[in-house]
Amino acid sequence: EEQLVESGGGLVQPGGSLRLSCEASGFTLWRFDMNWVRQAPGKGLEWIGKIYKGDTATSYAASVQGRFTISRDNYKNTLYLQMSNLKTEDTAVYYCATDHDTGAPRGQGTQVTVSS
């Protein structure tokens, strides 16, 4: 069974940092373009970035460009989202997803709350 399990969320002050993880099982992450998406309270899903299959190339939404970094550990079959200079508007549930799943992520997500 293919699964994605996100972790690493929590409460952080504005300007702080967090690293989210997404552990995959049942399939090999590096064979797929992988995305991070988020859903803020009362809002729809927002795509925030991706890492391309078989490569380290990445792309980001303007809202997180320069603050967030996506990486992948092929040995651990795990995707990461390093977030820095966090803002209150980054508060959301964060999900990882393949290109096929960005509209309906299969994982449970991890909550990130940015608040003083």
Side-chain angles (χ1 to χ4, degrees):
E1 181 184 2
E2 297 178 354
Q3 286 190 320
L4 292 167
V5 179
E6 301 93 346
S7 62
L11 174 64
V12 62
Q13 292 186 340
S17 299
L18 275 178
R19 188 178 80 158
L20 307 184
S21 300
C22 167
E23 185 173 355
S25 59
F27 70 105
T28 302
L29 270 181
W30 67 262
R31 296 183 182 274
F32 296 85
D33 292 349
M34 291 299 300
N35 302 268
W36 283 97
V37 298
R38 67 185 180 186
Q39 188 164 26
K43 297 187 177 181
L45 287 167
E46 176 191 10
W47 176 84
I48 56 175
K50 75 188 300 177
I51 185 166
Y52 293 89
K53 60 185 178 182
D55 199 353
T56 57
T58 54
S59 62
Y60 300 95
S63 58
V64 305
Q65 179 76 49
R67 300 188 299 121
F68 290 11
T69 303
I70 297 172
S71 62
R72 183 181 54 225
D73 186 323
N74 295 337
Y75 180 76
K76 294 181 179 179
N77 208 30
T78 299
L79 185 72
Y80 299 102
L81 179 66
Q82 178 67 50
M83 306 184 294
S84 60
N85 191 22
L86 283 160
K87 304 176 181 181
T88 55
E89 53 262 42
D90 294 318
T91 295
V93 178
Y94 285 72
Y95 303 89
C96 57
T98 64
D99 281 351
H100 180 72
D101 297 333
T102 54
R106 68 182 82 178
Q108 84 288 350
T110 187
Q111 174 72 47
V112 173
T113 302
V114 184
S115 175
S116 55

